[in-house]
Amino acid sequence: MFLALSLTATLPGAPTTPAQLGTSISLRSNEEGRLVLIRGAQTSGVETYKSKSGLTHLRFRLTSGGASYAAIAYENQWTPALRRALEAGRVDAAGVWETFQGAPSFTLKYVVAPLSTATTTAARNLLRIRDAFVPEGSVQKITRAQNVTFTFLVGSEIYQGVMYAGSWNSAALDLLLSGRVTLYGHWETFEGRPSFVTTRVTP
């Protein structure tokens, strides 16, 4: 169980409010007044895990001020977009400090700017991979998040690709299944592996 943790000068973050962040955040009664914003936090080891009650939470490491801490985003408070922001490696994170197993732990409530800037950053760095071969059996749809993952070959090299929910349709899926395509997108980390985040597929 998490217990309330008194904020001290040793823990990073400046006090903030949902109004100051310009968003609506669901806070429990014991979290009121304890929300902090950590700017430029480094994130790593992002992964999902199931609790004993069957809920899927997101856990990761958060590093700020030279110290690393355990961090968590509960099932009803994370989305695929938030996960991608964490996997990018650096965020402005809003949340509350608690204790877990006797150590400080950060409960993530909201990620600031990177979520809104990711699209424009990706657009500026859009890459094209021509003549990519996609083995038909490698194309899979992750039901919960509605992401599509696949592998593709360029020459003899094998890479991982992903199309996030909202960026693919049945026509794009048919093209992937056709076997040989041109991919447009950018590189980032997905489920701990370098992946080509594909935003468009053409013959």
Side-chain angles (χ1 to χ4, degrees), residues 6 19 34 82 106 108 126 147 155:
S6 297
R34 297 198 292 119
L82 184 144
F106 189 75
L108 183 69
L126 195 67
N147 300 329

Side-chain angles (χ1 to χ4, degrees), residues 2-203:
F2 280 93
L3 301 173
L5 179 74
S6 297
L7 286 175
T8 69
T10 61
L11 294 177
T16 188
T17 65
Q20 289 174 330
L21 295 172
T23 188
S24 175
I25 299 175
S26 176
L27 296 174
R28 300 185 303 235
S29 58
N30 67 341
E31 295 172 337
E32 295 288 345
R34 297 198 292 119
L35 190 68
V36 298
L37 176 63
I38 305 174
R39 294 196 176 278
Q42 292 181 310
T43 53
S44 62
V46 182
E47 62 179 4
T48 56
Y49 80 98
K50 280 193 176 294
S51 67
K52 292 180 180 179
S53 58
L55 299 176
T56 302
H57 305 315
L58 201 63
R59 62 185 174 192
F60 55 99
R61 298 295 299 181
L62 184 147
T63 301
S64 180
S68 179
Y69 307 91
I72 185 172
Y74 290 111
E75 180 177 81
N76 63 343
Q77 294 184 322
W78 71 270
T79 63
L82 184 144
R83 178 174 184 165
R84 295 197 296 273
L86 293 176
E87 289 176 333
R90 187 177 292 275
V91 296
D92 291 347
V96 295
W97 285 105
E98 301 180 278
T99 56
F100 179 64
Q101 298 180 343
S105 178
F106 189 75
T107 299
L108 183 69
K109 297 293 183 179
Y110 184 68
V111 168
V112 191
L115 286 179
S116 60
T117 60
T119 301
T120 56
T121 300
R124 288 198 302 269
N125 299 315
L126 195 67
L127 302 173
R128 179 178 64 180
I129 298 178
R130 302 180 64 179
D131 200 32
F133 174 69
V134 181
E136 181 178 347
S138 77
V139 180
Q140 300 180 20
K141 184 166 70 173
I142 303 174
T143 304
R144 181 181 181 278
Q146 292 295 303
N147 300 329
V148 170
T149 62
F150 57 96
T151 58
F152 63 95
L153 288 78
V154 179
S156 60
E157 297 295 324
I158 302 176
Y159 304 94
Q160 176 174 276
V162 60
M163 294 192 78
Y164 290 125
S167 65
W168 65 272
N169 53 29
S170 58
L173 202 57
D174 287 344
L175 283 172
L176 287 177
L177 293 170
S178 72
R180 197 165 292 278
V181 292
T182 296
L183 305 174
Y184 296 82
H186 63 278
W187 290 101
E188 65 179 54
T189 301
F190 176 74
E191 294 184 340
R193 295 175 55 191
S195 300
F196 191 73
V197 177
T198 305
T199 55
R200 185 158 65 99
V201 183
T202 62

